[in-house]
Amino acid sequence: MAEALVKKSTVAVAKETTYGTEPAFTSANVIRVQDIDVNDNYERITVEEVRNTFDEIPSLIGTESVDGSLPVNLRGSDTAGSAPEFDVLMECAVGAKNSSTASLVVSATADNITVTTGEGVNFAVGDAVRVATTPVQVVWVTGIATDVLAVSPSMSPIPTAGDAVGAGVHYKLSTDELSSFFLKLWRGDITREDYGGNKITALEMDISTGQVVIPKFSFKGQSMATPTAEAYPLGAPSFNSLDPLVGISQTINIGSSSIDVDSFAFKLNNEIYDKKAVTTSGISKMIRTGRKIEGSFGVLYENADIFTAFKNATESEAAIILSRSSLAAGQIVAVRIPLMRYVQVPISKDNKIFKYDVTWEAVMSTGEDTITSVSFL
């Protein structure tokens, strides 16, 4: 009998149209994962009864649920305007998705780009855009008036007529209910396990100097169907050839300044309520009831600015641009958190030098949802 080797496993995910109902799957739904952790769980019910014996009645099977995590190596989409390989997980974690198409600069100032006539409708507030100046710049759209895009941060150099404005795929926070996804796992290429009704409870991303960036998607699910003996049957998937992004030569801005952090982490937490029903195996639906974005970073102590910002409850923007040094199209991941506030700024020591270990949380109010984004450019 063959052993179930982790390296021989295959994972496929698809967004559900109807909660808990399996959608169609093809090889295009297969994703590469850094690790696999998914299990079907059952509560154990203890039965108490007096029956003239010290022995206990065997426990019974109770409510069924699924939990797991799918960490992935962060890669660009390879082609600007195309979604990344783990598109389904991103949309189900963040909430909403839109695409922007390429255009050209007609004219520009430091804070505005006028694009080709009639093409302003192809952009939305919160989109990141790659502007092909020398050097290349990444900015975020903060307002639109017909074909004039207001952008932040201010651009330098100012784009000139004919410079390309790149396409992108953008994932943004939303007040709508989170989409659910269906997961198929060919465990060790021996059995197929089907998990339905899954919702993302957390998206975590740690950016550490010299380490591969690995977004981790944690999720809860409704149930698993009885495993079926089956080798992977969908045909060879098509993956891009890009190497994963590494925490080297990346750009992290807090406020209007670049900051030399040795690590930066953020976590999107989705609070999920399990709607239970006796007519099911336990969970009939999962409903998001809350959301929080938080994180941390480490930076050497060079002045008291961070402590002062903490004491004054200063709210700053965080912008993270992950790519190769050339900022080539199709290889950029841009994250924007429009308002963040420090919640703890302890000073520690690292190899006999002082440093800040800062924790922060996003400050969300009406309007910040759609401009908090993760973009693939």
Side-chain angles (χ1 to χ4, degrees):
M1 182 177 292
E3 292 80 9
L5 301 179
V6 173
K7 291 288 189 181
K8 293 183 67 176
S9 299
T10 303
V11 174
V13 293
K15 191 168 75 168
E16 295 177 341
T17 301
T18 301
Y19 180 77
T21 300
E22 179 179 343
F25 274 81
T26 69
S27 61
N29 296 105
V30 174
I31 62 172
R32 290 172 288 187
V33 295
Q34 190 262 350
D35 197 8
I36 304 168
D37 180 14
V38 56
N39 283 287
D40 195 28
N41 303 309
Y42 292 87
E43 292 182 3
R44 306 304 297 181
I45 301 172
T46 300
V47 179
E48 298 291 347
E49 197 168 60
V50 178
R51 54 193 186 102
N52 194 25
T53 177
F54 289 111
D55 297 324
E56 300 291 342
I57 294 177
S59 58
L60 304 177
I61 293 177
T63 302
E64 181 183 11
S65 64
V66 170
D67 66 68
S69 63
L70 294 173
V72 301
N73 292 313
L74 182 64
R75 290 179 171 87
S77 60
D78 197 22
T79 302
S82 296
E85 187 178 302
F86 47 94
D87 168 54
V88 169
L89 297 180
M90 283 296 304
E91 184 176 354
C92 289
V94 180
K97 170 188 169 184
N98 71 282
S99 298
S100 57
T101 57
S103 188
L104 295 173
V105 174
V106 173
S107 63
T109 66
D111 301 303
N112 292 281
I113 300 172
T114 301
V115 296
T116 302
T117 301
E119 294 185 355
V121 295
N122 297 328
F123 298 87
V125 171
D127 292 356
V129 293
R130 176 187 183 272
V131 187
T133 51
T134 303
V136 170
Q137 301 177 76
V138 174
V139 294
W140 280 264
V141 178
T142 58
I144 302 174
T146 312
D147 294 320
V148 180
L149 312 180
V151 299
S152 176
S154 297
M155 295 177 290
S156 178
I158 295 174
T160 57
D163 285 344
V165 179
V169 175
H170 317 279
Y171 303 91
K172 301 173 182 175
L173 299 182
S174 169
T175 55
D176 295 335
E177 180 54 60
L178 288 176
S179 297
S180 58
F181 69 96
F182 201 97
L183 167 69
K184 286 182 178 288
L185 167 61
W186 286 269
R187 196 181 292 271
D189 210 29
I190 293 174
T191 59
R192 188 192 78 232
E193 301 171 9
D194 294 342
Y195 298 88
N198 304 294
K199 291 208 173 181
I200 302 289
T201 57
L203 165 57
E204 303 170 69
M205 191 183 302
D206 292 338
I207 305 162
S208 298
T209 304
Q211 302 296 315
V212 173
V213 182
I214 304 175
K216 178 182 177 182
F217 299 87
S218 300
F219 62 92
K220 294 171 59 177
Q222 184 181 39
S223 62
M224 180 189 75
T226 302
T228 302
E230 181 182 271
Y232 170 73
L234 299 180
S238 177
F239 299 132
N240 72 50
S241 60
L242 295 179
D243 291 328
L245 295 173
V246 177
I248 297 175
S249 301
Q250 308 298 357
T251 300
I252 295 179
N253 291 330
I254 296 178
S256 58
S257 303
S258 175
I259 184 167
D260 292 329
V261 300
D262 58 18
S263 61
F264 188 95
F266 75 87
K267 182 178 183 180
L268 166 61
N269 291 295
N270 291 313
E271 298 176 28
I272 304 295
Y273 173 77
D274 298 339
K275 180 182 178 182
K276 298 182 178 181
V278 296
T279 53
T280 70
S281 60
I283 299 173
S284 63
K285 190 176 182 180
M286 291 183 172
I287 304 168
R288 180 173 63 175
T289 58
R291 177 182 61 214
K292 184 177 183 180
I293 300 176
E294 57 190 347
S296 63
F297 63 86
V299 62
L300 293 183
Y301 185 102
E302 295 178 313
N303 53 52
D305 289 354
I306 287 178
F307 180 77
T308 301
F310 163 68
K311 289 288 289 182
N312 294 337
T314 302
E315 295 174 355
S316 302
E317 174 183 290
I320 303 102
I321 302 170
L322 304 172
S323 183
R324 306 294 170 198
S325 58
S326 62
L327 291 179
Q331 301 187 37
I332 302 171
V333 182
V335 182
R336 182 176 185 241
I337 301 163
L339 290 177
M340 59 179 286
R341 182 184 295 170
Y342 303 148
V343 293
Q344 293 290 339
V345 291
I347 299 171
S348 63
K349 295 184 288 293
D350 184 358
N351 197 24
K352 299 184 179 179
I353 191 168
F354 288 113
K355 63 177 292 190
Y356 284 113
D357 294 311
V358 180
T359 56
W360 57 267
E361 61 184 15
V363 182
M364 306 300 293
S365 59
T366 303
E368 265 78 58
D369 286 68
T370 57
I371 58 175
T372 301
S373 61
V374 181
S375 298
F376 288 76
L377 308 176

